[in-house]
Amino acid sequence: MDGTGSVCIIGSGPTGLYAADEIRRLAPGVTVDVIDRLPTPYGLVRGGVAPDHQKTKSVVRQFEPLFTAHGVRFIGNVSVGEDVELAELRRLYDAVVIAVGAAGDRKLGVPGEDLPGVYGSAGFVGWYNGHPDYAAMKPRIPGPRVAVVGNGNVALDVARILALTPGEMAATDLARPAADAIAATPLTDIYLLGRRGPLEAQFTSAELREMGELAAACPVVHAGDLPDAVPDDTDPREARRLKRNLEILRGFADRPPPPPGEDRVRIHFLFRHAPRAILGNARDGVTALLVERTQVAGGSVRATGATTSLAVGTVVTCIGYRATPFRGLPLDEERGVIANAEGVVEPGLYVAGWARHGPRGVITANRASARDAAAMAVEHLAAHGENRPGGPALEALLASRGYRTVAFADWQRIDDAERAAAAEGRPREKFIRVADMLAVIEAADATASCAAGGTTVAAASPSV
Ligand code: NAP
């Protein structure tokens, strides 16, 4: 189909941009606008991927041409449900694709979860990645011990970031307040808790291996916790990952302890330990995490009644994400996603990525549902498209309400300012507040309009 019409994608993370790319490929005549709540594009690539994983973040280079060469329009700084209603977008565009991810945390459901010093990974990862939603967050990390609950890649990310030295941080885009807070925290022990065993852990091998490559941290694994082999009936692809993981964990277990006097953060892999209660009080915050030894049979967890208390001052739960309520749309509470049937919310309204199927897989794993949503949107346009006005009408509506939207060229100014402000070796110094990002754009606008008169306006730089 080469027809015309307009599609609005809500969310400029990888899923939204895979969908934009696919619509462009399937229907080059259709205009595609990508709305984001923030002035910055790329969703979790900017705000979720670990700041020391710059290679992963470089995926944005693949997406940039959508905006610079292929006519996809970025409309940032627009919050659907606040600045514009979803129903209005439905009237302005022929089809809408929701790709807003899963920004909420699953709950542990144990006593003490609301104590100061307990953080879900959504907030904690957002904080160290400079997400504006968490700019004011000042996590309590008194040290010297922290518990990280979960045996997935996010738990590895959190434990690793907490263990970075200032030298290791120097090559990252870790948000400045987080870098300063972590550098100032004297950690000795990080407990990485899995309620099941090494064969059930969700770690990918490359990420697990990194835990043994840190400058001033060492993994602590008990050989007795490791099974001898991967069961024969394991799916072959999964078996390869598990075998690699077991080799890596055995390597960790075989390591001699660091020599006395060598100050290293010990990252304890506590398999088969389930959190039962977080202890502490409102004044002092978390003082301990009560954990229970478990047994795992056929993949299921069984309680043993044997409990231990870990004296920790901070607990970070990395136990998976849930979609947050999205204005006007029901959530599927059980699955933690926007209610949908194979990506269809209703005719003309589709959902893709983590908001559709829950939080799983690496970045490219979202491509399938993104393509699916794109194909359904294009089919809908072919059958019911009315050539609705899309972007220009939305821009006019938002301008009439006094909102300043952010175009891709505006984001490029923010990007330039962040890169210019970075110390040597650091990829960028992130702005963590929306107002500071907008100030860069305003300064650039003012400079442009004053240029004829010879007046110069100072550009903002990241202030923390
Ligand atoms: P995840 O891989 O699903 O891991 C969640 C972990 O939390 C599991 O170990 C799970 O254990 C545990 N858990 C859940 N409920 C629990 C409870 N009540 N008590 C104790 N433990 C509990 O999720 P994630 O780590 O948030 O990652 C989300 C997705 O992003 C994954 O697909 C991940 O691979 C991806 N990701 C990739 C990278 C990378 O490639 N570098 C980095 C970050 C994230 P059970 O298995 O027992 O339920």
Side-chain angles (χ1 to χ4, degrees):
M1 175 195 166
D2 190 27
T4 53
S6 56
V7 180
C8 172
I9 296 172
I10 307 172
S12 67
T15 300
L17 300 186
Y18 284 134
D21 194 35
E22 183 69 357
I23 294 170
R24 192 185 65 80
R25 196 182 67 79
L26 294 173
V30 169
T31 60
V32 183
D33 295 346
V34 180
I35 294 185
D36 204 289
R37 187 164 67 85
L38 295 179
T40 53
Y42 307 129
L44 271 193
V45 179
R46 181 176 164 102
V49 171
D52 57 341
H53 281 176
Q54 290 298 317
K55 204 169 154 216
T56 309
K57 286 184 190 267
S58 68
V59 69
V60 303
R61 281 194 223 120
Q62 179 188 325
F63 294 129
E64 250 167 22
L66 283 174
F67 300 112
T68 54
H70 301 310
V72 173
R73 187 197 317 231
F74 177 67
I75 309 180
N77 201 32
V78 176
S79 177
V80 177
E82 288 177 24
D83 305 341
V84 62
E85 291 301 330
L86 179 61
E88 291 174 314
L89 293 178
R90 298 280 281 123
R91 281 196 292 275
L92 294 175
Y93 289 86
D94 290 302
V96 174
V97 175
I98 301 170
V100 293
D105 283 304
R106 289 179 62 191
K107 289 281 174 198
L108 261 185
V110 303
E113 200 165 358
D114 296 327
L115 283 172
V118 184
Y119 305 99
S121 52
F124 202 79
V125 170
W127 168 68
Y128 66 58
N129 258 323
H131 191 296
D133 284 359
Y134 305 102
M137 186 169 155
K138 289 191 170 53
R140 282 168 89 115
I141 321 176
R145 288 171 295 272
V146 172
V148 177
V149 181
N151 266 186
N153 283 333
V154 172
L156 291 182
D157 280 351
V158 167
R160 194 180 67 254
I161 295 298
L162 282 171
L164 292 183
T165 62
E168 287 169 314
M169 291 178 195
T172 74
D173 63 359
L174 193 60
R176 178 54 56 199
D180 292 345
I182 293 168
T185 302
L187 288 187
T188 57
D189 298 87
I190 298 172
Y191 299 101
L192 194 60
L193 259 94
R195 62 180 169 181
R196 299 193 288 161
L199 290 180
E200 290 78 25
Q202 305 295 322
F203 310 138
T204 47
S205 305
E207 282 63 30
L208 183 58
R209 192 172 294 112
E210 275 180 284
M211 303 309 277
E213 295 166 354
L214 295 165
C218 57
V220 179
V221 173
H222 298 289
D225 282 343
L226 305 178
D228 293 334
V230 174
D232 290 339
D233 58 355
T234 310
D235 164 76
R237 202 160 151 223
E238 182 65 349
R240 275 198 296 280
R241 176 182 74 88
L242 292 176
K243 276 181 193 158
R244 275 199 297 267
N245 282 3
L246 278 186
E247 269 166 38
I248 295 165
L249 289 167
R250 276 192 205 109
F252 291 169
D254 289 345
R255 286 184 182 200
E262 196 175 297
D263 252 355
R264 283 180 164 248
V265 186
R266 289 176 294 270
I267 303 177
H268 305 265
F269 285 75
L270 291 189
F271 294 112
R272 301 182 199 88
H273 281 82
R276 293 297 179 227
I278 301 168
L279 311 178
N281 56 61
R283 197 196 57 194
D284 303 323
V286 174
T287 54
L289 175 65
L290 188 71
V291 297
E292 180 178 1
R293 259 281 186 193
T294 63
Q295 286 175 343
V296 181
S300 304
V301 182
R302 280 204 211 126
T304 63
T307 56
T308 322
S309 177
L310 303 172
V312 295
T314 310
V315 175
V316 187
T317 62
C318 306
I319 59 170
Y321 300 111
R322 295 172 55 78
T324 47
F326 194 77
R327 187 67 70 97
L329 296 179
L331 279 188
D332 177 334
E333 291 290 347
E334 206 182 312
R335 295 169 60 217
V337 299
I338 292 174
N340 71 89
E342 306 290 323
V344 182
V345 178
E346 61 187 43
L349 181 62
Y350 309 99
V351 59
W354 285 11
R356 167 179 168 175
H357 51 60
R360 56 163 198 257
V362 294
I363 290 173
T364 47
N366 294 291
R367 199 154 40 192
S369 70
R371 286 183 172 162
D372 211 17
M376 291 190 284
V378 168
E379 268 172 40
H380 180 81
L381 250 69
H384 308 286
E386 295 172 0
N387 265 331
R388 296 190 188 179
L394 174 63
E395 297 271 18
L397 179 70
L398 290 166
S400 74
R401 290 175 182 167
Y403 294 120
R404 180 8 164 151
T405 60
V406 170
F408 195 75
D410 295 327
W411 148 247
Q412 288 175 310
R413 288 169 174 162
I414 298 170
D415 189 26
D416 289 346
E418 287 189 340
R419 289 177 192 280
E424 202 185 328
R426 245 163 102 73
R428 65 180 62 244
E429 190 67 47
K430 276 182 174 175
F431 289 103
I432 63 171
R433 293 184 190 85
V434 167
D436 293 338
M437 300 176 192
L438 298 182
V440 172
I441 303 168
E442 279 156 24
D445 286 350
T447 304
S449 68
C450 291
T455 314
T456 51
V457 177
S461 61
S463 62
V464 290

